[in-house]
Amino acid sequence: MDALNRKPADRSTHRSSDTGTAAATTRRAGAAADGRDADVLVVGAGPTGLLLAGDLAEAGLDVTLLERRDDTTSNLSRALAVHARSLEQLDARGLADELVAGGHRLTGLQMFGDAVLAPGRLPSRFPFVLITPQYEVERLLERRARQAGVTFQYGSEVLGLDQDASGVTVRFRTAEGIGSSRACYAVGTDGGRSTVREAIGLPFPGKAVIRSVVLADVRLAQEPDSAFSINATRDAFGLIGSFGDGWYRAIGWNRRAQQDDDAPVDLAEVREVTRLAFGTDFGMHEARWVSRFRSDERQAPAYRVGRVFLAGDAAHIHSPAGGQGMNVGLQDAANLSWKLTAVLKGHSPDSLLDSYQAERHPVGTQVLRSSGAIIRLALVQSAAGRAARGLAAQLINRLPPLSRRAIGNVSGIDVAYRAERGAHALAGRRAPDVQLAGGSRLYELLRQGAFVLITPADEALAVAADAGTGPVPPGDRVVTASWRSDRRTALLVRPDGYIAWATDATAPAERAASLHTALARWTGAPAGPAPADAVRPAARIQPEPLG
């Protein structure tokens, strides 16, 4: 349920700190000395671009964010669901608790009358779907980006770009005229009509799945049975979701009332489609905004062309079913940011950036399939098809593994990346938020933007100092922690919360050699003996099942 529209915000709370401003000034001076304006140019100040820009700036890189809109935001928002994996990513940036405090938690999602998906069963610190407007997500991400020193250029309409072996030049139009900026890399997070995608010559194959969908934020006189419900009949489907503050998001489609995308919509039309889908309009009244849109399923064939990347809706768009769009974009950004940082700081080769396409493109494809399956179930017209939909709903309720798989997929908790042949079974999987001694957690350590190396307590220092293993890199690249119990597994967790490497080997030499190889591959650790202060110790970790 992604949007290009947002609510006005008090920007006085978004100004960067003196520290962030000073750091940004220093970085820009360094970039200018190299004949460029920034390390990375990010185009598009939606949630994806804001998270990416903030990550890069917090890592010490010079980032400029170009946004077509003026330095204000509109009062509309389509995205309303933040799923568990996105909340974990925001937690790793110290933002989740504040967002959750202002939102509405849903522990059950009712679909097609009978099926109930239960995020309360997810193995996460956030076993729920958070209902909150997209502009609240953007508000927190923009504040963080400003504090980190990101340079914002609002009112900058991108016209095109050129790239060569050393960088990317982006051309744009402002109120003052035509300008350009040059950087090592550029990332297009500029939505489904991405100018960046067009500039690098990538097609956007796909089709319109459904047209003339109406949506509104409304008040209801009658409270629905569920805080979040999806239902469908022969000629209509609808969604009702509570923001928890008296306002509800209503989305609907009427097979017999198809209009052009730009046709006006009023509250009467929203009431009518809601009655068709649910049998009642719940006493709907007082809409604060209404809109009409169409839903496409499209995906770029590549997320990277040379020094230019795509993320979020610029790379993939799909139906609103499941509310996954904004969430997938946030996770695109989390995957790409640490890789750009590693390459720009000289810790990893440029080839690491190819793994962004290898890891995230299959995820985008899967989201297109799953959201498309939900919307096609909703659009079923025949009696036999509706009966099959009802049977599927019953199966979800009666088969817990099926329900768990469905919510794990929608929430992003079950997303895993393909590991190389012969890797440990945990490699590529999401790392759970294991608890740390003293009340800390793994995802609090991830706020440092570094890899986290978790070893048994007696190996915390010695494992890196065994002969021939080489040092653990300094704390800006690897933070160390240890299990509180006698667990012997060693893990290397990536900055985006996925497991890069693990071993259960018992022979010290084998463990040390495996760790050395992993550190060299993932963090660029140099060979040689480990100095006594090379390891940055942290609190010990209480293990959780990782399977």
Side-chain angles (χ1 to χ4, degrees):
M1 302 173 187
D2 309 316
L4 302 177
N5 305 313
R6 287 154 289 268
K7 179 182 178 181
D10 178 7
R11 309 191 83 86
S12 64
T13 63
H14 296 172
R15 299 302 173 189
S16 58
S17 65
D18 292 340
T19 301
T21 302
T25 301
T26 300
R27 293 195 296 265
R28 284 193 291 273
D34 292 334
R36 51 185 168 79
D37 303 295
D39 294 313
V40 181
L41 293 170
V42 178
V43 180
T48 302
L50 289 168
L51 188 144
L52 176 67
D55 281 2
L56 296 171
E58 283 202 337
L61 298 175
D62 181 21
V63 184
T64 296
L65 199 157
L66 302 172
E67 169 56 49
R68 177 180 53 83
R69 295 175 294 112
D70 293 331
D71 189 16
T72 58
T73 49
S74 70
N75 61 353
L76 305 180
S77 173
R78 290 179 187 167
L80 79 160
V82 186
H83 287 294
R85 186 55 179 156
S86 295
L87 288 170
E88 290 181 342
Q89 294 291 359
L90 294 173
D91 188 25
R93 291 153 179 83
L95 300 174
D97 289 342
E98 183 177 352
L99 186 68
V100 169
H104 182 50
R105 306 182 191 192
L106 298 183
T107 56
L109 307 178
Q110 187 172 341
M111 302 181 67
F112 307 124
D114 296 321
V116 177
L117 297 183
R121 301 172 185 169
L122 289 170
S124 171
R125 183 170 176 254
F126 306 99
F128 49 83
V129 176
L130 184 71
I131 301 300
T132 191
Q134 176 179 316
Y135 57 75
E136 291 295 341
V137 179
E138 293 184 352
R139 178 181 63 83
L140 296 181
L141 291 173
E142 181 182 344
R143 183 185 68 195
R144 170 178 177 257
R146 288 184 180 275
Q147 290 174 345
V150 172
T151 300
F152 282 76
Q153 289 186 202
Y154 281 96
S156 299
E157 179 186 3
V158 170
L159 303 175
L161 61 82
D162 300 292
Q163 60 174 314
D164 53 39
S166 61
V168 184
T169 300
V170 176
R171 302 184 303 281
F172 52 85
R173 178 189 293 114
T174 69
E176 289 72 38
I178 305 300
S180 66
S181 289
R182 184 167 176 80
C184 292
Y185 296 97
V187 185
T189 60
D190 50 339
R193 299 178 180 178
S194 171
T195 302
V196 173
R197 187 184 63 243
E198 294 179 1
I200 56 179
L202 281 177
F204 206 35
K207 60 183 179 180
V209 178
I210 186 169
R211 300 176 185 273
S212 197
V213 181
V214 297
L215 68 164
D217 282 357
V218 298
R219 292 193 182 276
L220 305 178
Q222 175 189 347
E223 184 176 343
D225 293 337
S226 172
F228 185 95
S229 298
I230 297 175
N231 202 39
T233 60
R234 186 175 185 274
D235 291 323
F237 82 82
L239 178 152
I240 294 287
S242 172
F243 285 107
D245 60 357
W247 289 99
Y248 289 80
R249 171 64 48 81
I251 300 178
W253 175 81
N254 185 347
R255 191 187 305 274
R256 302 187 182 279
Q258 295 294 288
Q259 300 190 46
D260 292 338
D261 295 342
D262 57 356
V265 57
D266 58 22
L267 183 59
E269 183 177 356
V270 182
R271 285 197 194 104
E272 174 64 17
V273 70
T274 303
R275 282 196 295 267
L276 287 173
F278 289 97
T280 176
D281 65 9
F282 304 100
M284 186 179 296
H285 64 284
E286 192 183 345
R288 62 183 175 187
W289 69 277
V290 294
S291 183
R292 187 189 310 276
F293 72 100
R294 75 176 190 183
S295 176
D296 288 4
E297 288 180 353
R298 301 182 185 277
Q299 185 178 28
Y303 289 5
R304 179 189 189 186
V305 174
R307 291 180 169 270
V308 183
F309 299 82
L310 301 176
D313 285 357
H316 45 73
I317 55 174
H318 48 80
S319 87
Q324 296 168 271
M326 177 178 68
N327 295 271
V328 179
L330 291 172
Q331 292 156 48
D332 287 346
N335 184 284
L336 180 58
S337 63
W338 72 267
K339 296 173 181 178
L340 281 169
T341 298
V343 171
L344 283 165
K345 289 191 170 186
H347 302 155
S348 298
D350 180 83
S351 58
L352 174 66
L353 297 173
D354 292 334
S355 68
Y356 170 65
Q357 158 84 15
E359 293 181 344
R360 294 305 300 172
H361 195 276
V363 174
T365 300
Q366 176 57 35
V367 171
L368 260 69
R369 290 172 179 168
S370 62
S371 62
I374 295 172
I375 203 70
R376 285 171 177 80
L377 276 175
L379 296 178
V380 167
Q381 188 173 15
S382 68
R386 297 199 305 275
R389 183 177 65 203
L391 177 60
Q394 295 177 28
L395 288 175
I396 286 178
N397 289 337
R398 295 177 181 177
L399 299 175
L402 182 61
S403 176
R404 169 62 182 82
R405 181 175 180 179
I407 193 62
N409 178 34
V410 171
S411 68
I413 289 295
D414 286 351
V415 168
Y417 301 134
R418 184 183 297 275
E420 64 183 8
R421 185 183 298 273
H424 193 282
L426 294 176
R429 295 177 60 179
R430 160 190 164 270
D433 188 18
V434 290
Q435 296 295 311
L436 308 178
S440 188
R441 302 175 285 107
L442 170 60
Y443 279 65
E444 289 177 325
L445 283 188
L446 288 173
R447 293 174 187 176
Q448 300 181 45
F451 284 80
V452 178
L453 175 62
I454 309 172
T455 64
D458 59 356
E459 286 186 348
L461 296 177
V463 70
D466 285 340
T469 66
V472 174
D476 64 338
R477 290 154 68 185
V478 178
V479 176
T480 65
S482 57
W483 304 109
R484 191 189 313 178
S485 72
D486 59 357
R487 186 174 190 128
R488 304 305 298 173
T489 303
L491 300 176
L492 184 64
V493 181
R494 302 179 350 178
D496 61 353
Y498 288 86
I499 297 171
W501 164 89
T503 185
D504 291 312
T506 57
E510 182 181 354
R511 289 173 72 89
S514 181
L515 173 61
H516 173 61
T517 300
L519 290 173
R521 174 187 175 187
W522 290 100
T523 73
D533 61 349
V535 178
R536 179 180 178 182
R540 297 179 183 178
I541 293 180
Q542 172 68 41
E544 284 184 0
L546 297 176

